[in-house]
Amino acid sequence: MEAFLIEVDGAAIGRRRNTTCGPWGRMWIRHVPVEEVLYLVSGGQEYAWDTNEEYLFKAMVAFSMRKVPNRETTEISHVLLCNVTQRVSFWFVVTDPSRNHTLPAVEVQSAIRMNRNRINNAFFLNDQTLEFLRIPSTLAPPTDPSVPIWIIIFGVIFCIVLVATMLLILSGIQQHRRKHKGPSEMEDTEDKCENVITIENGIPCDPLDMKGGHINDAFVTEDERLTPL
Amino acid sequence: MAGTPGPDPPADGGGEARPAWDSKLQYLLSCVGFAVGLGNLWRFPYLCQTYGGGAFLIPYVVALAFEGIPLFHIELAVGQRLRRGSVGVWTAISPYLGGVGLGCFTVSFLVSLYYNTVLTWVLWYLLNSFQHPLPWSACPLDLNRTGLVQECRDSSPVSYFWYRRTLNVSADISDSGPVQWRLLLCLAVSWAVVYLCVIRGIETTGKAIYFTALFPYLVLTVFLVRGLTLPGAMQGLTYLFTPDLRVLQSPRVWLDAATQIFFSLSLAFGGHIAFASYNPPRNNCRRDAVSIALVNSMTSLYASIAVFSVLGFKAASDHGQCLDRNILHLINAFDLPEQSVSRDTYTAALARLNASQPARVAGLPLEACRLEDFLDKSASGTGLAFIVFTEAVLHMPGAPVWAVLFFAMLFSLGLSSMFGNMESIITPLLDLGVMPRRVPKEVLTGLACLLCFLTATCFTLRSGSYWLEIFDQYAAALNLILLAFFEVIGVVYVYGMKRFCDDIAWMTGRRPGFYWRATWKVVSPLLLLTIFVAYTALLASSPPRYKAWNPRYERFPSRQEKPYPGWVLAACALLSFLPTLWVPVVALGQLLARCREKTRDPLQDGRPKPRGGRAC
């Protein structure tokens, strides 16, 4: 018994009226004069909303109802539109074949929900621009890639950083080894020179107690206690 | 005497020469990179906007001239002359002042913990920017796929992505929750990048700084050009820069300008001292100080022009959407044909309808759409970067590109500041000789980074962002001001103004003039003391509160103001005073040590007293 208000090209708000479409009949279907046609611009396709488009809409609703079991005999003439406004919003009801009762709202709701996509595409509209009040749309799930993108980028950056750090550490170790080999070689040659000198003199210097003659113990401690300037 | 200053302190020993910069440019870029950080981008524009646009520049320039540049000059001169990190420098000036260096070291450690966490957040956003559509452009679906997630629907997709998908913030600071593994991974990469760049000290940071210091300027220019061509940008710029001189009467403006200069130049961290210590001894540090400080301020201005043009665009687009919603209400209510009312004709149409059917118009839920209201919505800090700017980027064509550029710029801005922070931690450790000589520098830096990383995992808890605010407000601010005060007093009164001027004359070839001597002796210490007192009064005037993100709050999405629990307040107090406590502790310790030495050996009276010593 309830009518659906359908609004075209409107966003969130529409009129909600619980009154029925009323006894169907010609007087309830407003004739839209040709010179007041409305241009719908949606999806890049422009077309005027006229009685032919209404016919298409009725056909789509009838098509949706025919897919429901037990309702395969729904005809286009069973779908009624009324209260058409310039915003392109109207009410519609679907009657049973005997044209005495209107079909329950729940049936029509579920039928339209199933075929929402086809109805939208017939008019080059989408869920936002073709709104059926009281029929919530099943929202499309966002495309979730199997591996979130951020993990991929993270892996790339981490690998680069790791490789660069390893390279730097390795080159540091190499430099370190080269530096340590260098000075130790120099020390060896210095020692050799000293040994050579002492032997070349002919007199081994070791037995001569050089230290004994030069160092005075008293002075040593004094020097050590002085803080260096 | 002017030609022969006191004997140079020994170069850091073991026979290895102190590392040196490859070129003057490297040194300048490092200092500029350290000074120019995230605050230049998200604090300065906010202050400009809040304090009367162009009028804010007046207290800013005054603070720069009387506080920023003199203190900066002292740091560079002292580091260059004494050729040591912060701990070594203050110990060399006077053993009693060693605590200042330790305080700087502690503050640098605390700051690098939370600063790198901000970089972690930036990195997370950067990783998520490589997709179209951007993940913060739409709300995710709820479980039965009939609608959007409630929390997102009530607030906004951008806020939802920040508070829930990034931070997964808890509703209360005592509710710590588990460690967020995504943030932990990004934290690890963040610290790995920092380690990679500071692994051999200035040898490696000197190479990295060429990129990290210059890249932000490139991106800022790109954003500036793009921003200025967006609709609404000029309105944003004119509105936000129009000076309102009345704000200068409020003392709060002067306090904020002074603190902004202070923190913007990264003073009292010890980082500039460390950088200057690697300079050749004869280098014109006065010219360096003035030029780096000016570059820092110019960057703030440049960044705010770019930021304001994008914010102006965002305000204009929000204003347009507000008008669109109102137009839809009108069209629905009065059955007007589509597109009969446009944004430009909205006011006229509304007036016409109001004249003919005022009762119906009054019943409609129309919003008041004024462009100034949208322009007035200001944000600073993480709010600017992660909520306002990300939303603005969504409206720009080619959004992922701009998001990637923006977050890459933020990351390199923060990274170059982190270099300075890490240098102010590592250079004192090297100078103190914490590790034996045989251990290579890479190990020391690795251990420092590892320790920082492990400690910073506490910021990846669900309550991490609340703790970060605490660290930001309490650990850094007061301590740095006090330490800077001790620095000036230490150099001017303990080291001696005359000796300091002689050193500068030896290094730069000219004695400091009256302006320098006056600011060092009187103006800067007074200013610092005033700022400290005012800041403490400000913090103490209201009981500390924080704003929690609580989806169950009745006025959600407004954030719920909650007081800190007792144990958190204790932590705040500890953070505020612990670093500065080093100063009296070390001074007392030195005093006790000298007294003990004296009582042990009275014969030492005849010797020349050690520098700075006093008979006790």
Side-chain angles (χ1 to χ4, degrees):
Chain A
M1 290 293 221
E2 293 153 289
F4 298 94
L5 174 64
I6 144 172
E7 230 181 41
V8 176
D9 220 19
I13 295 95
R15 284 163 295 164
R16 295 170 190 277
R17 294 208 190 107
N18 283 332
T19 55
T20 59
C21 204
W24 54 273
R26 278 175 309 178
M27 61 180 148
W28 289 98
I29 297 178
R30 199 191 303 169
H31 173 67
V32 182
V34 174
E35 51 271 21
E36 283 176 350
V37 293
L38 209 57
Y39 285 92
L40 294 175
V41 182
S42 175
Q45 306 288 329
E46 235 183 60
Y47 54 88
W49 187 266
D50 55 9
T51 43
N52 295 329
E53 301 288 338
E54 287 179 15
Y55 192 83
L56 176 59
F57 180 78
K58 288 190 212 175
M60 294 305 296
V61 173
F63 160 76
S64 311
M65 288 313 297
R66 282 168 90 105
K67 291 206 144 175
V68 176
N70 285 344
R71 299 286 175 205
E72 287 91 346
T73 53
T74 316
E75 297 291 333
I76 291 181
S77 47
H78 297 155
V79 182
L80 304 168
L81 269 54
C82 53
N83 257 10
V84 181
T85 65
Q86 271 188 329
R87 284 270 353 253
V88 197
S89 65
F90 47 84
W91 300 342
F92 70 92
V93 291
V94 185
T95 59
D96 64 352
S98 66
R99 301 204 179 182
N100 281 334
H101 317 282
T102 55
L103 297 184
V106 190
E107 261 192 63
V108 183
Q109 265 175 353
S110 65
I112 293 194
R113 259 189 106 156
M114 301 283 244
N115 298 289
R116 189 68 189 271
N117 215 19
R118 302 285 294 270
I119 302 179
N120 282 349
N121 282 337
F123 297 98
F124 306 116
L125 297 171
N126 56 31
D127 280 355
Q128 272 77 44
T129 42
L130 176 64
E131 189 184 350
F132 289 86
L133 291 185
R134 271 178 279 139
I135 300 183
S137 43
T138 311
L139 299 164
T143 47
D144 257 340
S146 53
V147 180
I149 294 186
W150 72 269
I151 289 193
I152 300 176
I153 318 271
F154 169 83
V156 168
I157 296 183
F158 195 59
C159 287
I160 294 178
V161 170
L162 213 61
V163 166
T165 315
M166 286 295 133
L167 284 175
L168 275 176
I169 292 182
L170 284 175
S171 73
I173 295 179
Q174 270 182 358
Q175 259 178 22
H176 212 65
R177 272 201 209 127
R178 233 180 290 136
K179 224 186 326 178
H180 274 248
K181 233 188 290 178
S184 57
E185 280 172 0
M186 275 171 54
E187 280 165 17
D188 283 340
T189 49
E190 275 174 17
D191 282 340
K192 280 206 200 112
C193 282
E194 277 179 18
N195 289 339
V196 165
I197 290 169
T198 46
I199 292 172
E200 267 190 359
N201 274 343
I203 309 166
C205 297
D206 289 338
L208 288 175
D209 194 358
M210 298 299 292
K211 287 192 203 163
H214 288 258
I215 310 290
N216 186 348
D217 281 344
F219 276 76
V220 166
T221 45
E222 193 69 32
D223 274 335
E224 279 172 1
R225 271 170 57 195
L226 277 176
T227 51
L229 282 168
Chain B
M1 271 312 281
T4 51
D8 276 343
D12 54 357
E16 286 174 27
R18 195 170 180 80
W21 298 106
D22 286 346
S23 65
K24 180 80 183 273
L25 181 65
Q26 244 184 30
Y27 161 63
L28 286 177
L29 279 181
S30 298
C31 286
V32 164
F34 183 35
V36 171
L38 298 170
N40 292 66
L41 192 78
W42 69 32
R43 180 99 181 123
F44 181 79
Y46 165 74
L47 287 175
C48 255
Q49 189 181 3
T50 326
Y51 291 127
F56 180 71
L57 291 175
I58 298 178
Y60 186 75
V61 168
V62 167
L64 180 69
F66 290 111
E67 181 202 345
I69 296 185
L71 286 173
F72 196 38
H73 187 22
I74 283 189
E75 286 213 0
L76 290 186
V78 139
Q80 190 176 300
R81 173 70 189 85
L82 297 174
R83 302 179 58 72
R84 288 181 142 188
S86 58
V87 177
V89 146
W90 300 108
T91 322
I93 287 185
S94 158
Y96 294 95
L97 280 181
V100 176
L102 281 174
C104 292
F105 171 78
T106 316
V107 170
S108 293
F109 174 69
L110 292 174
V111 168
S112 43
L113 288 182
Y114 78 80
Y115 206 83
N116 216 18
T117 310
V118 176
L119 284 190
T120 305
W121 296 339
V122 170
L123 184 66
W124 164 256
Y125 267 79
L126 178 64
L127 295 178
N128 275 289
S129 302
F130 286 94
Q131 49 188 293
H132 183 71
L134 291 167
W136 54 83
S137 58
C139 282
L141 301 177
D142 60 12
L143 289 170
N144 37 355
R145 298 227 183 125
T146 51
L148 308 169
V149 172
Q150 169 96 16
E151 191 180 346
C152 187
R153 208 179 35 220
D154 291 339
S155 53
S156 73
V158 180
S159 307
Y160 178 76
F161 187 77
W162 168 236
Y163 285 109
R164 190 55 50 212
R165 302 281 290 275
T166 309
L167 299 175
N168 196 10
V169 72
S170 60
D172 196 276
I173 192 172
S174 9
D175 174 19
S176 305
V179 167
Q180 303 300 302
W181 64 271
R182 296 186 180 92
L183 284 182
L184 190 67
L185 283 182
C186 292
L187 187 74
V189 169
S190 231
W191 276 109
V193 171
V194 169
Y195 176 54
L196 173 67
C197 294
V198 303
I199 190 169
R200 281 198 218 134
I202 62 168
E203 210 183 302
T204 39
T205 58
K207 312 283 188 309
I209 202 77
Y210 284 113
F211 176 73
T212 57
L214 295 174
F215 179 67
Y217 287 99
L218 179 67
V219 176
L220 268 179
T221 313
V222 170
F223 261 101
L224 186 73
V225 170
R226 174 74 256 220
L228 287 176
T229 54
L230 288 169
M234 290 318 291
Q235 285 131 302
L237 280 173
T238 40
Y239 184 72
L240 293 162
F241 268 123
T242 313
D244 177 13
L245 290 166
R246 291 168 303 169
V247 299
L248 294 181
Q249 296 161 5
S250 135
R252 188 69 200 273
V253 180
W254 298 87
L255 175 67
D256 275 340
T259 46
Q260 169 63 15
I261 270 291
F262 187 79
F263 299 130
S264 177
L265 283 173
S266 308
L267 296 170
F269 277 92
H272 291 296
I273 297 182
F275 282 151
S277 69
Y278 299 117
N279 268 340
R282 286 187 190 257
N283 172 49
N284 195 342
C285 50
R286 171 179 48 242
R287 200 169 48 197
D288 296 342
V290 175
S291 45
I292 295 172
L294 286 178
V295 166
N296 179 53
S297 300
M298 288 297 123
T299 311
S300 294
L301 266 177
Y302 195 56
S304 49
I305 298 179
V307 166
F308 282 159
S309 56
V310 175
L311 291 184
F313 159 70
K314 176 176 186 297
S317 97
D318 284 348
H319 178 239
Q321 282 176 358
C322 177
L323 281 179
D324 284 345
R325 286 195 294 272
N326 280 359
I327 291 174
L328 192 64
H329 283 298
L330 280 185
I331 289 186
N332 275 350
F334 293 99
D335 266 340
L336 301 170
E338 282 297 325
Q339 293 174 7
S340 55
V341 183
S342 70
R343 288 181 187 178
D344 301 322
T345 57
Y346 165 72
T347 350
L350 180 65
R352 202 177 53 236
L353 289 169
N354 212 5
S356 56
Q357 303 184 50
R360 269 184 92 183
V361 170
L364 293 175
L366 293 177
E367 306 164 36
C369 293
R370 285 178 58 238
L371 184 60
E372 289 78 28
D373 293 339
F374 291 103
L375 284 169
D376 273 335
K377 284 202 196 135
S378 56
S380 79
T382 50
L384 178 75
F386 297 117
I387 298 188
V388 173
F389 223 83
T390 44
E391 203 179 325
V393 155
L394 282 177
H395 299 305
M396 293 161 86
V401 174
W402 298 107
V404 167
L405 275 179
F406 178 64
F407 290 113
M409 170 181 71
L410 282 188
F411 193 75
S412 57
L413 268 177
L415 197 62
S416 51
S417 298
M418 275 305 290
F419 294 164
N421 272 328
M422 293 310 288
E423 267 313 309
S424 49
I425 298 177
I426 290 171
T427 309
L429 287 177
L430 282 174
D431 290 338
L432 284 177
V434 180
M435 298 231 117
R437 273 288 135 199
R438 287 187 316 113
V439 176
K441 196 190 254 190
E442 287 90 333
V443 175
L444 177 66
T445 46
L447 284 177
C449 288
L450 185 66
L451 182 67
C452 290
F453 165 65
L454 291 174
T455 324
T457 48
C458 68
F459 291 116
T460 55
L461 296 168
R462 289 188 62 193
S463 55
S465 65
Y466 301 136
W467 280 105
L468 201 132
E469 276 169 31
I470 291 180
F471 267 68
D472 189 21
Q473 248 193 323
Y474 295 98
L478 288 171
N479 289 308
L480 288 174
I481 299 175
L482 266 182
L483 289 170
F485 177 72
F486 285 125
E487 280 187 9
V488 180
I489 298 294
V491 167
V492 170
Y493 294 103
V494 176
Y495 189 71
M497 175 68 98
K498 185 171 182 313
R499 193 157 71 173
F500 189 55
C501 290
D502 291 341
D503 288 342
I504 292 185
W506 181 76
M507 287 192 294
T508 67
R510 208 161 50 115
R511 279 189 85 83
F514 172 71
Y515 157 71
W516 297 106
R517 290 200 311 273
T519 45
W520 289 336
K521 237 187 155 81
V522 177
V523 181
S524 296
L526 271 180
L527 256 179
L528 283 172
L529 215 52
T530 323
I531 296 171
F532 175 70
V533 168
Y535 210 83
T536 322
L538 197 69
L539 282 179
S541 63
S542 54
R545 318 175 77 81
Y546 68 107
K547 294 205 176 123
W549 179 261
N550 187 6
R552 279 189 251 284
Y553 185 43
E554 61 264 4
R555 278 186 288 159
F556 187 76
S558 298
R559 304 215 277 149
Q560 183 181 16
E561 283 219 9
K562 291 187 182 178
Y564 286 122
W567 60 280
V568 174
L569 282 176
C572 294
L574 218 70
L575 280 174
S576 308
F577 292 112
L578 217 54
T580 330
L581 271 184
W582 280 115
V583 179
V585 161
V586 167
L588 268 173
Q590 283 288 322
L591 203 62
L592 287 174
R594 305 261 155 177
C595 281
R596 215 180 306 131
E597 251 179 55
K598 221 180 162 256
T599 51
R600 210 190 316 139
D601 191 354
L603 285 178
Q604 275 194 2
D605 274 348
R607 307 211 170 256
K609 291 204 172 29
R611 191 198 295 176
R614 279 192 309 249
C616 43

